[in-house]
Amino acid sequence: MSFAYNNPHRISAATRERILAAAEELGYAPSTVARMLQAGRTNALGVLLPQNLATVMENPYYAQFLMGVGQVCDQEGFTLLLSAPLRDSMLKAIPYAAVDGFVVCGLESDRGEVAELERRKIPFVLVDSDPQENVPSVDVDDRMGAREVVEHLLEMGHRRLAVLSMDPGPDHAERGYRGPLARRMEGIVEALAEVGMTMADVELLEVPVTRVDGFRATKRLMAEYAPTAIVALSDVLAIGALDALHELGLDVPGQVSVTGFDDLPEAAWQRPRLTTVRQAIATKGRTAADFLISAIRGEDQHPHQYLSATLIVRESTGRVPRSP
Amino acid sequence: MSFAYNNPHRISAATRERILAAAEELGYAPSTVARMLQAGRTNALGVLLPQNLATVMENPYYAQFLMGVGQVCDQEGFTLLLSAPLRDSMLKAIPYAAVDGFVVCGLESDRGEVAELERRKIPFVLVDSDPQENVPSVDVDDRMGAREVVEHLLEMGHRRLAVLSMDPGPDHAERGYRGPLARRMEGIVEALAEVGMTMADVELLEVPVTRVDGFRATKRLMAEYAPTAIVALSDVLAIGALDALHELGLDVPGQVSVTGFDDLPEAAWQRPRLTTVRQAIATKGRTAADFLISAIRGEDQHPHQYLSATLIVRESTGRVPRSP
DNA sequence: CTGAAAGCGCTTACAG
DNA sequence: CTGAAAGCGCTTACAG
């Protein structure tokens, strides 16, 4: 008789005592899963990730994002379930997550995930994806952010640019850029066009998003191309670039300018402090989780939300050096 | 008839087709929770955290730790459930997590959590806790690590030390230090004793574990106490101290030495590179998760595992400056 | 080969 | 006030 736990006033205190004592004696505890089944509620928020858990946890971007999602979970008393691709498929991971709703991250090429989620009638919000009709999403104006940062460099006279980008993944060859990376590339192309340049006029390097990869790529870049400015599409890569330039004894921004993207907390702690594009990562996580909670409660839907990306000029960019 | 999904060879292909088609038509998808109930398995690993999700996600220590746990989840196809205290109680959070086992973090004062877990007969491993009889745990030799780093400073002639510690939490007044912090304090006391000093001879500051708190505390420390060496009990705090000393124009290690604890990836990227105590955080997470998986599978138990903590001397420590 | 039935462990109307 | 029964949505022996 679960009344003892759930409805104390419906039974006499004596009986209640008796039941609880017996439960203690037997070492009884209600089953979490059975209760979820009966209640039709898990009190868990799922985050469907595009990469392995280990890779995600290594990336400070996700720390920020999950902090935002976590704030909402803390507030609402939800638990946070992290769900990584199963055999390289986000779709296959869905049936294994007992959650009341999903925040879906970086769904760059939809292989049925949206249909599966709709079919299951489980609320979800897409984040860092290619927005779709009638599918709730939270996105950032990556295009404008990327455009502004490149314009900034161009205005300072830089023409010999290198773009340090994250690896676009295996789909890239057949499907082109997708999601935020596609938007950032667009922004770069637009900025270049203003001065009559194209992507063919810049050096592009694509690497995994880690500090050491940014470091190594920059070493190579300086040896082989010697740009006057490095446009990193992530702060983590930009910070790795700063490390490399410091080790090479190159002055930033005296000899080389560096820009990032994200405005991680670390960005402002760099020496020199990093010029970057701020996107409110934690806010993005919080917004997505808030939308999800509303949807779970059956409240009004918010189909699309756009957050801005703004250029933050700090100390790592300056005028192009006079030619040597 | 779930045979269509689970036991394809037990029915004719035609029937199977018919069922699957009907399922598609109706938008049917098996319920995750019902399946868990029936199977008695969730395929989820729980991490029972001592702080809010937002606080945890902000701390790079946990990023490393969860990376280790995540590696095991990735490998075993488990999902990762993060469970924060409910109304300030880890105990109350337990019934809401549908998991096959728990990694319990930083359980510094047991308020029935262990009993509850045992009662539920759910496997668990304690990490960063005070080890208990017959309870599986993974811990680090914090005492030796702390002792070595303080000895290192003492050998370099430092006698005017400040300890920058994490906030010991509300229980501290009644229960004293607990868990890893207690062990680190012990190690410090032992090292000091070797030169006839006690805690009364050092300045102790306790702050939340964030870079900016380390920064602020160090500013205050230099103004009010002017130590020749700062022993931070976490790399995050040490890095904040480095920031502050840089801003004050003080040379490290020329004028002030700084040590950390953890050896986060960031430590080796600092300028100067940080002298610190390495604990294999990711390994700790991986080990705990491995133990948990064995326990879930009913394999042999590993009651206690100790990992070492070793001093890594880099560039942020040097001989005490000649008195001015 | 296939359908009906029991059981996983709860919660909550419903009789008594 | 309290006990027995139905139902949450699956899976899997068991008849037919």
Side-chain angles (χ1 to χ4, degrees):
Chain A
M1 280 300 96
S2 52
F3 288 131
Y5 294 91
N6 308 323
N7 245 341
H9 61 280
R10 271 225 32 194
I11 57 176
S12 69
T15 316
R16 176 152 195 276
E17 281 313 313
R18 197 158 47 78
I19 293 174
L20 261 28
E24 187 59 44
E25 191 100 17
L26 297 168
Y28 170 83
S31 143
T32 304
V33 174
R35 198 192 330 214
M36 285 177 175
L37 174 61
Q38 152 61 36
R41 228 168 143 14
T42 63
N43 259 280
L45 229 63
V47 179
L48 198 58
L49 270 356
Q51 293 165 307
N52 281 348
L53 292 171
T55 309
V56 164
M57 285 302 165
E58 199 182 357
N59 188 342
Y61 169 87
Y62 276 107
Q64 283 292 112
F65 180 76
L66 292 174
M67 195 180 107
V69 176
Q71 279 172 5
V72 177
C73 290
D74 287 332
Q75 191 180 309
E76 305 288 335
F78 272 65
T79 228
L80 184 62
L81 185 88
L82 269 23
S83 185
L86 211 57
R87 277 164 278 129
D88 288 328
S89 156
M90 291 170 81
L91 177 60
K92 287 184 188 146
I94 295 173
Y96 290 93
V99 297
D100 291 332
F102 279 107
V103 172
V104 182
C105 293
L107 185 67
E108 296 191 345
S109 55
D110 184 359
R111 290 210 186 66
E113 285 85 353
V114 167
E116 175 71 9
L117 260 7
E118 282 173 342
R119 195 171 128 85
R120 288 182 174 262
K121 294 182 189 56
I122 183 170
F124 66 98
V125 179
L126 255 36
V127 168
D128 288 341
S129 305
D130 291 310
Q132 306 186 28
E133 279 297 325
N134 290 320
V135 174
S137 64
V138 177
D139 272 287
V140 164
D141 195 351
D142 296 279
R143 189 185 55 79
M144 205 53 196
R147 180 172 166 162
E148 279 181 20
V149 75
V150 173
E151 283 174 351
H152 166 66
L153 256 10
L154 260 14
E155 277 163 20
M156 305 267 246
H158 294 273
R159 288 299 181 274
R160 195 167 177 78
L161 303 178
V163 173
L164 203 51
S165 169
M166 41 275 252
D167 197 319
D171 284 353
H172 177 231
E174 26 170 317
R175 315 199 49 160
Y177 292 111
R178 317 267 308 166
L181 187 50
R183 298 194 288 268
R184 291 181 199 177
M185 286 298 184
E186 269 178 51
I188 294 174
V189 168
E190 288 177 12
L192 291 175
E194 290 167 18
V195 298
M197 290 172 68
T198 73
M199 282 304 288
D201 301 315
V202 315
E203 182 75 3
L204 174 67
L205 246 73
E206 296 172 333
V207 299
V209 184
T210 71
R211 187 165 179 166
V212 64
D213 281 296
F215 176 86
R216 288 197 200 115
T218 301
K219 284 276 187 89
R220 187 147 28 102
L221 219 39
M222 295 317 294
E224 296 173 4
Y225 186 73
T228 64
I230 298 176
V231 179
L233 262 27
S234 124
D235 281 356
V236 172
L237 293 177
I239 292 171
L242 253 21
D243 294 328
L245 295 170
H246 177 78
E247 198 173 288
L248 292 170
L250 261 17
D251 183 60
V252 177
Q255 295 171 275
V256 185
S257 286
V258 175
T259 65
F261 205 109
D262 287 341
D263 197 27
L264 297 177
E266 290 90 314
W269 290 107
Q270 295 307 305
R271 302 199 285 266
R273 297 185 299 137
L274 187 66
T275 293
T276 189
V277 176
R278 171 177 298 165
Q279 60 165 323
I281 306 173
T283 302
K284 184 158 60 172
R286 210 183 316 118
T287 305
D290 276 335
F291 283 10
L292 193 51
I293 295 280
S294 311
I296 290 170
R297 299 218 174 105
E299 290 164 16
D300 48 313
Q301 299 292 55
H302 321 255
H304 299 291
Q305 170 85 204
Y306 269 96
L307 302 174
S308 62
T310 59
L311 177 65
I312 308 287
V313 177
R314 286 198 278 242
E315 304 165 352
S316 68
T317 47
R319 291 208 58 78
V320 66
R322 306 178 185 284
S323 27
Chain B
M1 280 302 93
S2 51
F3 287 131
Y5 294 91
N6 308 323
N7 245 340
H9 60 280
R10 272 224 32 194
I11 57 176
S12 70
T15 314
R16 176 152 195 274
E17 280 312 313
R18 197 158 47 80
I19 293 174
L20 259 30
E24 187 59 41
E25 190 101 15
L26 297 168
Y28 170 84
S31 144
T32 304
V33 174
R35 200 194 325 217
M36 285 177 175
L37 174 60
Q38 153 62 38
R41 227 168 143 19
T42 62
N43 259 282
L45 229 62
V47 179
L48 198 59
L49 271 355
Q51 293 165 306
N52 282 349
L53 292 171
T55 310
V56 165
M57 285 302 166
E58 198 182 357
N59 188 342
Y61 170 86
Y62 276 107
Q64 282 294 110
F65 180 75
L66 292 175
M67 195 182 107
V69 176
Q71 280 172 4
V72 177
C73 290
D74 287 332
Q75 192 181 308
E76 305 288 336
F78 271 65
T79 228
L80 184 61
L81 185 88
L82 269 23
S83 185
L86 212 56
R87 278 165 277 130
D88 288 328
S89 156
M90 291 171 79
L91 178 60
K92 287 183 187 146
I94 296 172
Y96 290 93
V99 297
D100 291 333
F102 279 108
V103 171
V104 183
C105 293
L107 184 66
E108 296 191 345
S109 55
D110 183 0
R111 291 210 185 65
E113 285 86 352
V114 167
E116 176 71 9
L117 260 7
E118 282 173 342
R119 195 171 129 83
R120 289 183 174 262
K121 294 183 188 57
I122 184 171
F124 66 98
V125 179
L126 255 37
V127 168
D128 288 340
S129 305
D130 290 312
Q132 305 185 29
E133 279 296 326
N134 290 320
V135 174
S137 64
V138 176
D139 271 288
V140 164
D141 194 350
D142 296 278
R143 187 184 57 79
M144 204 53 196
R147 178 171 168 165
E148 279 181 20
V149 75
V150 174
E151 283 174 350
H152 166 65
L153 257 9
L154 260 14
E155 276 164 19
M156 305 267 248
H158 294 275
R159 287 300 180 275
R160 195 167 177 79
L161 303 178
V163 173
L164 203 52
S165 170
M166 40 277 250
D167 198 318
D171 284 353
H172 177 231
E174 26 170 316
R175 315 199 50 160
Y177 292 111
R178 318 268 306 166
L181 186 50
R183 298 194 289 268
R184 291 180 200 179
M185 286 298 184
E186 269 179 52
I188 295 175
V189 168
E190 288 178 12
L192 291 174
E194 290 166 18
V195 298
M197 289 173 69
T198 72
M199 282 304 288
D201 301 316
V202 314
E203 181 76 2
L204 174 66
L205 246 72
E206 296 172 333
V207 298
V209 184
T210 70
R211 188 165 179 165
V212 64
D213 280 296
F215 176 87
R216 287 197 202 115
T218 300
K219 284 274 186 94
R220 187 148 28 102
L221 219 39
M222 295 317 294
E224 296 173 5
Y225 186 73
T228 65
I230 297 176
V231 180
L233 262 27
S234 122
D235 281 356
V236 171
L237 293 176
I239 292 171
L242 254 20
D243 295 328
L245 295 170
H246 177 78
E247 199 173 287
L248 292 170
L250 259 19
D251 183 60
V252 178
Q255 295 171 276
V256 185
S257 286
V258 175
T259 65
F261 205 110
D262 287 342
D263 197 27
L264 296 178
E266 292 89 315
W269 290 107
Q270 295 307 305
R271 302 199 285 265
R273 298 185 297 138
L274 187 66
T275 293
T276 190
V277 176
R278 170 177 299 164
Q279 59 165 322
I281 306 173
T283 302
K284 185 158 60 172
R286 212 182 316 119
T287 306
D290 276 336
F291 283 11
L292 193 51
I293 296 278
S294 311
I296 289 170
R297 299 218 174 106
E299 291 165 16
D300 47 315
Q301 298 292 55
H302 321 254
H304 300 290
Q305 170 86 203
Y306 270 97
L307 303 174
S308 62
T310 59
L311 176 66
I312 307 287
V313 178
R314 286 198 277 243
E315 303 164 353
S316 67
T317 47
R319 290 207 60 79
V320 65
R322 307 178 184 283
S323 27

